[in-house]
Amino acid sequence: MLISCGDALIDFVPTKNADGREAVMPAVGGSCLNVAIGIARLGAPTGFVGGVSTDLFGRMIAEHAAASNVELGLATRSDHQTTLAFVRIVAGESHYAFYDAGTATRNWTFRRGTIPFDTVEAVHVGSTTLVNDRGAAETKALITDARASSTISFDPNCRPNLVKDKPAYLARMAEFAASADLVKMSDVDFAYLFGEEPHQQRASALLAQGTSLVVVTRGNNGAIAWHAKAGQIEVEAPQIEVADTIGAGDSFQAALLFALHKQGRLARQQLKNIGADELRRALSFAANCAGLTCTRPGADPPWSHEINWS
């Protein structure tokens, strides 16, 4: 099984009403839930770990996860309210306003001993759960238990408007990156975390400290990856008509993990030994899945019948 741990929420995504005025439409989201949805829809057994409310929106989340074949047995259900995020598209980028105080996600606690990590091939973490102290601490505890047997995947998926202490946040993200086997981030996240530092320079530093694979996605410019054995691999983005970019990075992450799983290259030692052709194939598949997600509104990653792995 593959597991994604973190945020599950409701995005209110931009649309137009019958009069052509701005409106919003509720859609299930949350970066880490999106990753779980994306993997499961492609056909790998997947579970979600995190807080899910029992309120109206939490029931929407649970129904959406079940419909996409995501196992929610490891999630923590509570009567705390669901996190809400309102989205606007500015210059092609998604901007968010979060309402997250006292929510089910914020109140999630890792229940030690409840996850059979010896049956878990990989654990993905990241996003808004890591902004607050409690969420970060609980996620660290999960990684501590998981790391002995499971590959750790990390995407910071930064939300600057939630960050109150940037130096502390940067240090925290560096700590999570240091514990990960696979680090993926967008070029926008990279700039927030590392400023104008060259991508290759930071990738080399991460590889030197033990990370196996570093990936930077660059929107229309495709993605570029660095691996100690396979070297530097660059893939193009598909040419598409964009509806919005919500969930594109999550879809890329999900498809990359799925592709590595299908190739038998997701386990830690296997990931270290992946070849250049295998890695290029996995990255290209991930880019195509992200592209398909961008052709429809909201975080709606593709199903296996929509995009062929084999």
Side-chain angles (χ1 to χ4, degrees):
M1 173 178 279
L2 284 68
I3 285 177
S4 186
C5 170
D7 51 341
L9 51 81
I10 297 295
D11 284 321
F12 285 84
V13 298
T15 185
K16 300 285 186 180
N17 64 16
D19 298 327
R21 292 181 295 176
E22 286 190 9
V24 292
M25 175 182 68
V28 175
S31 176
C32 294
L33 179 64
N34 291 341
V35 170
I37 295 289
I39 299 170
R41 286 185 176 185
L42 291 171
T46 310
F48 173 76
V49 177
V52 178
S53 178
T54 55
D55 67 8
L56 169 66
F57 292 126
R59 293 195 295 274
M60 284 177 60
I61 290 169
E63 291 166 2
H64 181 68
S68 296
N69 301 316
V70 173
E71 171 59 51
L72 279 185
L74 300 174
T76 302
R77 302 300 299 274
S78 73
D79 59 4
H80 297 288
Q81 67 185 13
T82 299
T83 300
L84 306 180
F86 289 80
V87 188
R88 293 201 77 191
I89 309 299
V90 180
E93 290 288 337
S94 300
H95 293 252
Y96 294 82
F98 289 92
Y99 295 83
D100 192 32
T103 61
T105 294
R106 279 286 191 100
N107 284 279
W108 168 71
T109 300
F110 171 51
R111 297 169 292 172
R112 300 197 69 173
T114 61
I115 301 176
F117 286 115
D118 58 338
T119 67
V120 175
E121 191 174 13
V123 174
H124 174 72
V125 300
S127 197
T128 61
T129 303
L130 306 184
V131 174
N132 66 84
D133 293 343
R134 178 173 177 175
E138 297 297 332
T139 305
K140 287 178 186 176
L142 181 143
I143 290 174
T144 297
D145 282 8
R147 186 159 175 76
S149 55
S150 306
T151 297
I152 306 300
S153 162
F154 170 59
D155 177 3
N157 195 42
C158 305
R159 295 290 177 254
N161 59 324
L162 293 179
V163 175
K164 306 304 181 186
D165 183 343
K166 186 173 180 180
Y169 177 76
L170 296 182
R172 179 177 290 168
M173 294 303 98
E175 185 177 351
F176 276 102
S179 70
D181 301 288
L182 189 164
V183 176
K184 171 259 172 189
M185 69 191 89
S186 71
D187 52 358
V188 175
D189 288 341
F190 188 99
Y192 181 72
L193 295 173
F194 305 114
E196 296 183 358
E197 180 179 354
H199 292 168
Q200 184 172 359
Q201 180 174 308
R202 175 55 53 172
S204 296
L206 288 168
L207 294 178
Q209 70 182 18
T211 301
S212 292
L213 177 61
V214 179
V215 183
V216 175
T217 58
R218 304 173 299 169
N220 291 334
N221 294 318
I224 187 166
W226 294 265
H227 184 274
K229 179 179 178 181
Q232 180 176 312
I233 306 290
E234 188 170 353
V235 297
E236 296 181 352
Q239 299 300 307
I240 57 165
E241 184 173 338
V242 176
D244 67 43
T245 60
I246 298 170
D250 304 328
S251 183
F252 185 102
Q253 185 83 40
L256 177 59
L257 292 171
F258 172 81
L260 294 171
H261 162 76
K262 291 294 286 185
Q263 292 174 314
R265 291 297 188 181
L266 188 51
R268 181 170 294 121
Q269 191 57 47
Q270 294 301 319
L271 182 59
K272 288 181 180 295
N273 293 324
I274 192 170
D277 290 342
E278 292 172 302
L279 181 54
R280 184 180 302 279
R281 184 183 179 203
L283 292 165
S284 295
F285 180 74
N288 287 331
C289 284
L292 182 53
T293 301
C294 290
T295 65
R296 46 207 192 193
D300 187 9
W303 294 79
S304 57
H305 67 266
E306 295 180 293
I307 189 161
N308 189 8
W309 160 250
S310 58

mmCIF file of all heavy atoms in Angstrom, residues 141-165:
data_model
loop_
_atom_site.group_PDB
_atom_site.id
_atom_site.type_symbol
_atom_site.label_atom_id
_atom_site.label_comp_id
_atom_site.label_asym_id
_atom_site.label_seq_id
_atom_site.Cartn_x
_atom_site.Cartn_y
_atom_site.Cartn_z
ATOM 1 N N ALA A 141 6.580 12.376 13.911
ATOM 2 C CA ALA A 141 6.437 11.119 14.643
ATOM 3 C C ALA A 141 6.066 9.983 13.698
ATOM 4 O O ALA A 141 6.579 8.861 13.818
ATOM 5 C CB ALA A 141 5.376 11.278 15.737
ATOM 6 N N LEU A 142 5.200 10.271 12.731
ATOM 7 C CA LEU A 142 4.824 9.258 11.748
ATOM 8 C C LEU A 142 6.033 8.844 10.915
ATOM 9 O O LEU A 142 6.270 7.650 10.693
ATOM 10 C CB LEU A 142 3.706 9.790 10.858
ATOM 11 C CG LEU A 142 3.174 8.853 9.777
ATOM 12 C CD1 LEU A 142 1.672 9.027 9.605
ATOM 13 C CD2 LEU A 142 3.864 9.118 8.433
ATOM 14 N N ILE A 143 6.825 9.820 10.448
ATOM 15 C CA ILE A 143 7.999 9.512 9.636
ATOM 16 C C ILE A 143 8.999 8.677 10.431
ATOM 17 O O ILE A 143 9.607 7.738 9.897
ATOM 18 C CB ILE A 143 8.653 10.813 9.127
ATOM 19 C CG1 ILE A 143 7.751 11.474 8.079
ATOM 20 C CG2 ILE A 143 10.034 10.534 8.529
ATOM 21 C CD1 ILE A 143 8.241 12.837 7.637
ATOM 22 N N THR A 144 9.166 9.007 11.707
ATOM 23 C CA THR A 144 10.085 8.246 12.554
ATOM 24 C C THR A 144 9.719 6.772 12.574
ATOM 25 O O THR A 144 10.584 5.893 12.480
ATOM 26 C CB THR A 144 10.074 8.811 13.984
ATOM 27 O OG1 THR A 144 10.549 10.160 13.954
ATOM 28 C CG2 THR A 144 10.967 7.989 14.902
ATOM 29 N N ASP A 145 8.422 6.485 12.680
ATOM 30 C CA ASP A 145 7.976 5.094 12.691
ATOM 31 C C ASP A 145 8.031 4.458 11.304
ATOM 32 O O ASP A 145 8.297 3.270 11.172
ATOM 33 C CB ASP A 145 6.545 5.005 13.228
ATOM 34 C CG ASP A 145 6.495 5.107 14.742
ATOM 35 O OD1 ASP A 145 7.547 5.400 15.355
ATOM 36 O OD2 ASP A 145 5.410 4.910 15.319
ATOM 37 N N ALA A 146 7.773 5.254 10.264
ATOM 38 C CA ALA A 146 7.663 4.711 8.910
ATOM 39 C C ALA A 146 9.006 4.466 8.247
ATOM 40 O O ALA A 146 9.151 3.539 7.433
ATOM 41 C CB ALA A 146 6.844 5.659 8.035
ATOM 42 N N ARG A 147 9.985 5.265 8.594
ATOM 43 C CA ARG A 147 11.218 5.308 7.808
ATOM 44 C C ARG A 147 11.982 3.986 7.771
ATOM 45 O O ARG A 147 12.673 3.701 6.787
ATOM 46 C CB ARG A 147 12.128 6.427 8.335
ATOM 47 C CG ARG A 147 13.353 6.623 7.462
ATOM 48 C CD ARG A 147 14.002 7.963 7.622
ATOM 49 N NE ARG A 147 15.220 8.013 6.834
ATOM 50 C CZ ARG A 147 15.272 8.151 5.517
ATOM 51 N NH1 ARG A 147 14.151 8.243 4.832
ATOM 52 N NH2 ARG A 147 16.424 8.173 4.885
ATOM 53 N N ALA A 148 11.856 3.157 8.787
ATOM 54 C CA ALA A 148 12.592 1.893 8.803
ATOM 55 C C ALA A 148 12.226 0.990 7.641
ATOM 56 O O ALA A 148 13.060 0.226 7.147
ATOM 57 C CB ALA A 148 12.353 1.169 10.128
ATOM 58 N N SER A 149 10.984 1.085 7.169
ATOM 59 C CA SER A 149 10.544 0.157 6.125
ATOM 60 C C SER A 149 9.910 0.826 4.916
ATOM 61 O O SER A 149 9.715 0.175 3.881
ATOM 62 C CB SER A 149 9.546 -0.850 6.710
ATOM 63 O OG SER A 149 8.463 -0.173 7.326
ATOM 64 N N SER A 150 9.582 2.102 4.993
ATOM 65 C CA SER A 150 8.849 2.774 3.915
ATOM 66 C C SER A 150 9.653 3.921 3.317
ATOM 67 O O SER A 150 10.331 4.658 4.039
ATOM 68 C CB SER A 150 7.513 3.333 4.435
ATOM 69 O OG SER A 150 6.740 2.336 5.059
ATOM 70 N N THR A 151 9.555 4.089 2.002
ATOM 71 C CA THR A 151 10.134 5.246 1.323
ATOM 72 C C THR A 151 9.362 6.496 1.727
ATOM 73 O O THR A 151 8.129 6.471 1.813
ATOM 74 C CB THR A 151 10.054 5.050 -0.200
ATOM 75 O OG1 THR A 151 10.845 3.920 -0.560
ATOM 76 C CG2 THR A 151 10.544 6.279 -0.950
ATOM 77 N N ILE A 152 10.069 7.598 1.973
ATOM 78 C CA ILE A 152 9.433 8.848 2.380
ATOM 79 C C ILE A 152 9.453 9.827 1.205
ATOM 80 O O ILE A 152 10.510 10.143 0.651
ATOM 81 C CB ILE A 152 10.132 9.482 3.594
ATOM 82 C CG1 ILE A 152 10.233 8.475 4.741
ATOM 83 C CG2 ILE A 152 9.379 10.737 4.032
ATOM 84 C CD1 ILE A 152 8.918 7.939 5.246
ATOM 85 N N SER A 153 8.265 10.305 0.834
ATOM 86 C CA SER A 153 8.090 11.287 -0.236
ATOM 87 C C SER A 153 7.649 12.606 0.383
ATOM 88 O O SER A 153 6.794 12.624 1.280
ATOM 89 C CB SER A 153 7.030 10.777 -1.225
ATOM 90 O OG SER A 153 6.518 11.817 -2.024
ATOM 91 N N PHE A 154 8.197 13.725 -0.109
ATOM 92 C CA PHE A 154 7.918 15.034 0.487
ATOM 93 C C PHE A 154 7.728 16.088 -0.585
ATOM 94 O O PHE A 154 8.536 16.213 -1.501
ATOM 95 C CB PHE A 154 9.080 15.432 1.406
ATOM 96 C CG PHE A 154 9.041 16.856 1.891
ATOM 97 C CD1 PHE A 154 7.966 17.341 2.608
ATOM 98 C CD2 PHE A 154 10.104 17.719 1.639
ATOM 99 C CE1 PHE A 154 7.929 18.655 3.056
ATOM 100 C CE2 PHE A 154 10.090 19.031 2.084
ATOM 101 C CZ PHE A 154 8.998 19.500 2.800
ATOM 102 N N ASP A 155 6.642 16.846 -0.468
ATOM 103 C CA ASP A 155 6.389 18.017 -1.301
ATOM 104 C C ASP A 155 5.976 19.151 -0.377
ATOM 105 O O ASP A 155 4.912 19.092 0.232
ATOM 106 C CB ASP A 155 5.269 17.732 -2.308
ATOM 107 C CG ASP A 155 4.904 18.951 -3.155
ATOM 108 O OD1 ASP A 155 5.550 20.001 -3.017
ATOM 109 O OD2 ASP A 155 3.947 18.845 -3.952
ATOM 110 N N PRO A 156 6.794 20.205 -0.236
ATOM 111 C CA PRO A 156 6.444 21.281 0.703
ATOM 112 C C PRO A 156 5.138 21.981 0.348
ATOM 113 O O PRO A 156 4.413 22.428 1.234
ATOM 114 C CB PRO A 156 7.635 22.237 0.606
ATOM 115 C CG PRO A 156 8.302 21.911 -0.692
ATOM 116 C CD PRO A 156 8.082 20.447 -0.898
ATOM 117 N N ASN A 157 4.838 22.102 -0.942
ATOM 118 C CA ASN A 157 3.588 22.721 -1.401
ATOM 119 C C ASN A 157 3.289 23.968 -0.565
ATOM 120 O O ASN A 157 2.267 24.059 0.105
ATOM 121 C CB ASN A 157 2.438 21.715 -1.319
ATOM 122 C CG ASN A 157 1.221 22.174 -2.101
ATOM 123 O OD1 ASN A 157 1.336 22.685 -3.208
ATOM 124 N ND2 ASN A 157 0.045 22.011 -1.518
ATOM 125 N N CYS A 158 4.189 24.931 -0.616
ATOM 126 C CA CYS A 158 4.164 26.085 0.285
ATOM 127 C C CYS A 158 2.908 26.947 0.110
ATOM 128 O O CYS A 158 2.443 27.158 -1.014
ATOM 129 C CB CYS A 158 5.385 26.970 0.046
ATOM 130 S SG CYS A 158 6.963 26.091 0.167
ATOM 131 N N ARG A 159 2.415 27.443 1.222
ATOM 132 C CA ARG A 159 1.313 28.404 1.237
ATOM 133 C C ARG A 159 1.779 29.598 2.078
ATOM 134 O O ARG A 159 1.537 29.670 3.283
ATOM 135 C CB ARG A 159 0.050 27.774 1.821
ATOM 136 C CG ARG A 159 -0.520 26.642 0.978
ATOM 137 C CD ARG A 159 -1.123 27.186 -0.319
ATOM 138 N NE ARG A 159 -1.631 26.118 -1.193
ATOM 139 C CZ ARG A 159 -1.047 25.706 -2.289
ATOM 140 N NH1 ARG A 159 0.114 26.241 -2.660
ATOM 141 N NH2 ARG A 159 -1.573 24.771 -3.040
ATOM 142 N N PRO A 160 2.476 30.558 1.445
ATOM 143 C CA PRO A 160 3.095 31.660 2.193
ATOM 144 C C PRO A 160 2.133 32.448 3.067
ATOM 145 O O PRO A 160 2.535 32.961 4.123
ATOM 146 C CB PRO A 160 3.674 32.543 1.076
ATOM 147 C CG PRO A 160 3.971 31.583 -0.032
ATOM 148 C CD PRO A 160 2.836 30.585 0.017
ATOM 149 N N ASN A 161 0.867 32.555 2.662
ATOM 150 C CA ASN A 161 -0.072 33.338 3.464
ATOM 151 C C ASN A 161 -0.388 32.688 4.809
ATOM 152 O O ASN A 161 -0.959 33.323 5.685
ATOM 153 C CB ASN A 161 -1.357 33.604 2.693
ATOM 154 C CG ASN A 161 -2.068 32.336 2.257
ATOM 155 O OD1 ASN A 161 -1.435 31.346 1.916
ATOM 156 N ND2 ASN A 161 -3.392 32.363 2.245
ATOM 157 N N LEU A 162 -0.022 31.408 4.977
ATOM 158 C CA LEU A 162 -0.215 30.741 6.263
ATOM 159 C C LEU A 162 1.020 30.815 7.148
ATOM 160 O O LEU A 162 0.947 30.509 8.338
ATOM 161 C CB LEU A 162 -0.572 29.266 6.045
ATOM 162 C CG LEU A 162 -1.917 28.959 5.387
ATOM 163 C CD1 LEU A 162 -2.089 27.454 5.237
ATOM 164 C CD2 LEU A 162 -3.069 29.541 6.190
ATOM 165 N N VAL A 163 2.149 31.208 6.584
ATOM 166 C CA VAL A 163 3.417 31.199 7.316
ATOM 167 C C VAL A 163 3.566 32.490 8.122
ATOM 168 O O VAL A 163 3.556 33.582 7.557
ATOM 169 C CB VAL A 163 4.605 31.037 6.348
ATOM 170 C CG1 VAL A 163 5.926 31.152 7.090
ATOM 171 C CG2 VAL A 163 4.508 29.707 5.612
ATOM 172 N N LYS A 164 3.722 32.340 9.431
ATOM 173 C CA LYS A 164 3.873 33.505 10.315
ATOM 174 C C LYS A 164 5.339 33.799 10.634
ATOM 175 O O LYS A 164 5.708 34.935 10.894
ATOM 176 C CB LYS A 164 3.111 33.266 11.625
ATOM 177 C CG LYS A 164 1.646 32.906 11.440
ATOM 178 C CD LYS A 164 0.876 33.937 10.644
ATOM 179 C CE LYS A 164 -0.586 33.559 10.512
ATOM 180 N NZ LYS A 164 -1.336 34.491 9.623
ATOM 181 N N ASP A 165 6.164 32.777 10.634
ATOM 182 C CA ASP A 165 7.589 32.917 10.970
ATOM 183 C C ASP A 165 8.379 32.220 9.862
ATOM 184 O O ASP A 165 8.634 31.028 9.931
ATOM 185 C CB ASP A 165 7.856 32.274 12.331
ATOM 186 C CG ASP A 165 9.299 32.425 12.798
ATOM 187 O OD1 ASP A 165 10.174 32.738 11.957
ATOM 188 O OD2 ASP A 165 9.560 32.203 13.994
#
